[in-house]
Amino acid sequence: MNHDAGTTGFADDDDRLNDALAELEAAMESSDGGRVGEVLKRYPDYALELASHIENCNVLDEIVSPLREAASGLSEPPEIPGYRILGLHDEGGMGLIYRAHCDRVNGIVALKLLRDDRPISKQDRQRFETEARCAFELRHRSIIRVSDIGVVDGQSYYAMEMVDGQSLKEHLAEQGAFESRAAAEVMLEVAEAMASAHRDGVIHRDLKPGNVLLDQDGHPRVIDFGLAKRANHPEQVEPDSFVGTPFYCSPEQADYRADETTPASDVYSLGAMLYEMLTGHPPLQGANLSQTLEKVRNQSPVPLRVLNGGVDRKLEIICACCLEKNPDNRYSNAHELAEDLRRYLKGHRLAATKRGSGEW
């Protein structure tokens, strides 16, 4: 009897998962990011399976798309006045990035265009515009530099500096964890970039290793401001929405309080990145999305030096201050974090011990 009940339970679970996958497929076919988000929110217990399905579809698309486009002619890029497109550099679900020669600067740039080979939702267009405008308006050596934004025959595009290198995510996958001083030096440059953004009223809300490019000299550039919250601009997401990436989002983001994000929310994400740079993995991970968000809200990460005894104690304190659950106990903005990273690199006393516990 018990075995029958268990079997029925598994069957019901399979049916519900199949329903969730079917709804996800329909949402992905519509290319409406909002619909995909609604499905993920409706089935939190299957978030890991749904996320894996999305990732697998994206991987498959990366393999199949070039073959399909070569056969159909979809890879033929549009003509953008002032640019000579040299070839496809990278692509994502929303945009294509081409390597191009810019006549105005007589040099190579990265030209990003909204895809025209599949439907693009209003939300995707808004995110593309926010991404372009933020990077265009923010001027800092460690923020990707956008030099031109435009629309040609209904095709939105923007031009940005070409960074020959790899993302911090790719670097960590290939090289593993950083030693303390090297991690602090890279994070200082990222924190300085975000300090500039915070002064200009911009909160990134999706800082993660995949959104930091490293040039050939190891210097970072912050990219992808598509989810940014901008002062004096209308909020682009619903107040009770989830915004960010689970492994790196702040507790307030994990609590679906997108309207309550502050510069301290970005500080948490920088701390999560620093933790991964020193250990090789994010501070908190669950078996699925709901478990990960629950841990981010309520659980403390394993102390850095338990996982990597070579981490300097002062750097552990800085990271712990970033990862405080209560935003009032974190550095209030990226400038304060940058100041403490400078103190650490110079061997000076930290300010972190004056804020929150500064410890796990």
Side-chain angles (χ1 to χ4, degrees), residues 12 26 30-31 80 96 169 191 228 233 251 294-295 358:
D12 290 343
S30 73
S31 295
I80 306 294
L96 299 171
K169 178 181 179 180
H233 286 76
E294 174 66 23
K295 287 185 176 184

Side-chain angles (χ1 to χ4, degrees), residues 193-207:
M194 288 314 304
S196 175
H198 290 166
R199 282 192 296 271
D200 288 338
V202 174
I203 304 168
H204 191 288
R205 298 199 295 194
D206 197 22
L207 291 166

Side-chain angles (χ1 to χ4, degrees), residues 99-121:
R99 192 178 187 92
H101 181 274
C102 175
D103 295 339
R104 181 168 56 84
V105 300
N106 192 28
I108 303 301
V109 298
L111 194 64
K112 185 167 184 177
L113 292 77
L114 270 175
R115 302 188 75 117
D116 62 357
D117 60 340
R118 63 184 62 174
I120 295 294
S121 69

Side-chain angles (χ1 to χ4, degrees), residues 29 162 205:
E29 281 292 325
M162 174 62 72
R205 298 199 295 194

